[in-house]
Structure formats: structure tokens, C-alpha cells
Amino acid sequence: MKKKTILDILDMKKTGDKITMLTAYDFVMASIMDEAGTDLLLVGDTMGMVVHGNPTTLPVTLEDSIRHTQAVARGAKQSMVIGDLPFGTFQVSAEEAVRNSIKLVKIGNAEAIKLEGGSERCTAVQGILDAGIPVMGHLGLTPQSIHKFGGFKVQGRTEETAKLLIEESKKLEEAGIFSLVLEAIPWKVAKKITESISIPTIGIGAGPYCDGQVLVTYDMLGYFDFKAKFVKRYLNLKEQILKAIKEYNQEVREGKFPDISYSYD
Ligand code: KIV
């Protein structure tokens, strides 16, 4: 199967085919998602929470992002790989944003980058595009601004903040992003944004009217206990893993594993 590019993703907005995106952090999982035909693999900075165990995404470094993106890229035969710019790697200056995006592509093998924020990021977006790197935007509950929001809170609930989100989406589109993640905003606001711009929107907690959907893979697989309202669990992986590991522990302790059939002559 042919590798997906931004041209395929942009086309899907026109044809009305829904875009699927999932977060990926390692080679094995990326290979499975790729085999399942997922359009986009986002090496999200949620790695800081679900892989590294931090309470927020803020401690993630560029080196973390590069290392995980390399692993995911090795497993992605047809899915397009998006590297995520972590907190502190693009806010200080557009120049730094360009330099760090180049590292994510050159060393991490990302095929596009994602960065959080609105019109304050337009200069950085243009610089990254000038370096030949496609950019995915991210508006709404942008977790790198969690302290500004006072927690993980739904954004765009008032008329004023909803209007601002729509305006910011248009400015990011003008700056040249090829797609836009909308996180934790009312579905009516996400619908309005999706209808107002010509690039695809990809929702997470933003309702059914976006052009595509993304979930944190650990959430949708039920890998751990936390569950937000917008998460559908397609599997209860934690339960299955717990069962398997308890069985292994018991068999080892009882001397049942390994028997001779698992041993070399
Ligand atoms: O970092 C991430 O995983 C993300 C998704 C939740 C969209 O930004």
C-alpha cells in the first residue's frame, strides 16, 4: 500500500472520507496501527503522561519526541507520521520552532509536525513551511497551556471564546497549516469551524462533525483506569493484561511454567 501524504489528507476533506488518526509512541504499536489502515499516526506529547507517567505533557523534551518518532516511523509503512513539538521547543521564537521542526523531520523521520496554539504561532508556521515541512495546528484545550486554563477544561463554551476559536482557525489556515486538531470544544463550535475552513479538522472531544477523529491510543484500548467523557473504549486491555500477568505469576510460583515443552534439550 502507498504511503499517505498531505495530498491524500487534503483530498479527504473534498471527498468527505473521514480521516483516522491515533497516537503512537513505539514501533510495535505503530506497526499494528499501520496494518489496520490508520491514516495518521501522531507521536503526541501525551507520551509524557501515558508512557512516562507525568501528570501533564509539559516535561516532554525534543529528544523524547525525536526518539519516539523514530520508533513509530520504522513501523509506519503506509500511515503518515506526525511529530509533536513539545512545550518550550517553539514558543520562544519562530527560528527555534523551525530549527526544532527540522530535527523532528531530519532525525526523527516525521513527515509533518504538529504545534499547539493560535495566531501567535502564524510566523512560526510560515517559517516551518518555508523549510518544507507540513504543519498540523491544534486549538481548543491545548494541554501545554493547562496552567493558563486552570486545568484540563473544555474550551469555547461562551459566544466570545467560540468566535475567537473560529477566527483563530481561519488565521492558522491562512498561515498554511494542512490540518487542524480541535480538542475538547463543544460539537457545535467544531462543526462551525469545520464548515468555515477548507483544510481538514481532526477532533478529540469535539463531536462527530469534524473531518476526522483522533484518540489517545492508551485511552481507546482501555490500557489504564482514566476515562474522559469523549473516550470510547474499544477494548479493556488493562483487564486482559492483568489477567495474563496474574496467571503467569501464579504458574511461575507453582512451578507450572516453564515445563519441558518450553525448554531446550
Ligand atoms: O499529544 C497528543 O497526543 C495530542 C492528541 C491528544 C491530539 O495532542
Side-chain angles (χ1 to χ4, degrees), residues 20 29 104 108 115 126 162 176 182 205 212 218 229 242 253 259-260:
T20 64
M29 195 61 94
L104 259 182
L115 51 72
Q126 281 155 358
L182 297 174
Y218 285 34
K229 175 182 164 73
L242 255 180
R253 287 179 183 132
D259 62 16
I260 295 302

Side-chain angles (χ1 to χ4, degrees), residues 21 23-25 42-47 57 84 114 116 138 143-144 181 183 202 204 214-216:
M21 179 157 93
T23 64
Y25 316 104
L42 171 66
V43 193
D45 63 359
T46 42
M47 71 177 73
T57 59
D84 206 4
K114 176 174 84 58
E116 296 184 6
H138 187 163
Q144 293 176 16
V181 170
E183 179 163 353
I202 301 178
I204 172 163
V214 56
L215 282 175
V216 171

Side-chain angles (χ1 to χ4, degrees), residues 142-236:
T142 43
Q144 293 176 16
S145 302
I146 181 180
H147 296 310
K148 188 171 91 180
F149 297 145
F152 291 100
K153 294 185 188 312
V154 175
Q155 301 296 304
R157 279 200 191 277
T158 65
E159 204 175 309
E160 193 189 345
T161 54
K163 192 164 162 267
L164 188 66
L165 278 175
I166 297 163
E167 285 165 8
E168 293 288 76
S169 306
K170 289 181 183 166
K171 286 180 186 162
L172 283 169
E173 180 186 20
E174 271 166 37
I177 60 167
F178 78 96
S179 60
L180 178 62
V181 170
L182 297 174
E183 179 163 353
I185 63 173
W187 66 265
K188 283 184 185 162
V189 180
K191 183 170 186 281
K192 180 91 182 140
I193 293 173
T194 302
E195 289 164 356
S196 309
I197 58 178
S198 58
I199 52 163
T201 58
I202 301 178
I204 172 163
Y209 299 104
C210 296
D211 299 302
Q213 296 292 327
V214 56
L215 282 175
V216 171
T217 303
Y218 285 34
D219 286 342
M220 58 86 79
L221 293 180
Y223 203 178
F224 52 25
D225 297 323
F226 169 79
K227 191 194 159 313
K229 175 182 164 73
F230 62 81
V231 172
K232 178 172 177 183
R233 276 193 183 145
Y234 287 82
L235 194 65
N236 206 327

